[in-house]
Amino acid sequence: MAYARAAAMIATPIGPIRIEAEGEVLTGIRIGRPVSSDADHPLLRETQAQLSAYFAGKLTTFDLPLAPLTSDRGPALRDAICGIGYGETATYGDLAVLTGASARAVGQACATNPFPIVVPCHRVLGAGGALSYYSAGDGPDTKIWLLKHERAEGWLL
């Protein structure tokens, strides 16, 4: 069965999360944007299940088909961010060295990440482990909550 655009909402400890899909790929996760379910879409059900398991402390790695990125560097940056393990952190500089991009490009990838939590940009920190900008949900408060939830090491408040 082919699916068109669909959206659903999941209640979480950090507030409502809107999940969006089109066809067979996830197209967005928006923290703090409530919407009621409008479709019976298997990918949205799977995304809800994986996010619920994450918040319950039972899932540390997501396995969801994400919409492809359109920029040349996007896939490498997304892969590098996804390579930061649960409970771990890396700096913008670390990821810049790893990908051959600038720290600014890494920051831009985090700021425009359409899949917070699943593509864990909350695990990316400033130099020396300093807490840095976070655009999802309530910004730094959401980032702190997620890092504490994962019991992440290496960050300062």
Side-chain angles (χ1 to χ4, degrees):
M1 173 181 220
Y3 293 93
R5 291 182 184 190
M9 193 275 294
I10 180 173
T12 74
I14 58 172
I17 294 180
R18 175 186 169 110
I19 52 177
E20 302 163 348
E22 185 169 353
E24 302 298 320
V25 297
L26 200 60
T27 57
I29 296 174
R30 314 277 184 254
I31 299 171
R33 298 195 185 159
V35 65
S36 60
S37 296
D38 65 1
D40 182 30
H41 193 295
L43 180 55
L44 294 180
R45 286 193 308 271
E46 179 60 24
T47 303
Q48 288 174 321
Q50 288 190 31
L51 285 168
S52 292
Y54 168 83
F55 284 111
K58 297 177 181 176
L59 181 81
T60 61
T61 305
F62 293 91
D63 183 22
L64 298 164
L66 305 178
L69 296 167
T70 57
S71 71
D72 291 339
R73 276 193 237 162
L77 292 170
R78 180 188 282 175
D79 288 347
I81 295 166
C82 287
I84 306 167
Y86 183 93
E88 298 176 358
T89 60
T91 67
Y92 294 98
D94 294 336
L95 297 180
V97 169
L98 181 66
T99 62
S102 68
R104 180 181 209 129
V106 174
Q108 185 64 24
C110 289
T112 59
N113 175 16
F115 307 106
I117 303 170
V118 172
V119 176
C121 53
H122 61 278
R123 298 176 188 157
V124 182
L125 304 175
L131 193 64
S132 56
Y133 176 77
Y134 191 64
S135 61
D138 290 330
D141 289 341
T142 299
K143 185 170 188 161
I144 290 168
W145 193 97
L146 292 168
L147 290 169
K148 286 181 177 180
H149 173 69
E150 295 182 9
R151 295 179 182 93
E153 299 291 331
W155 58 284
L156 308 171
L157 293 179

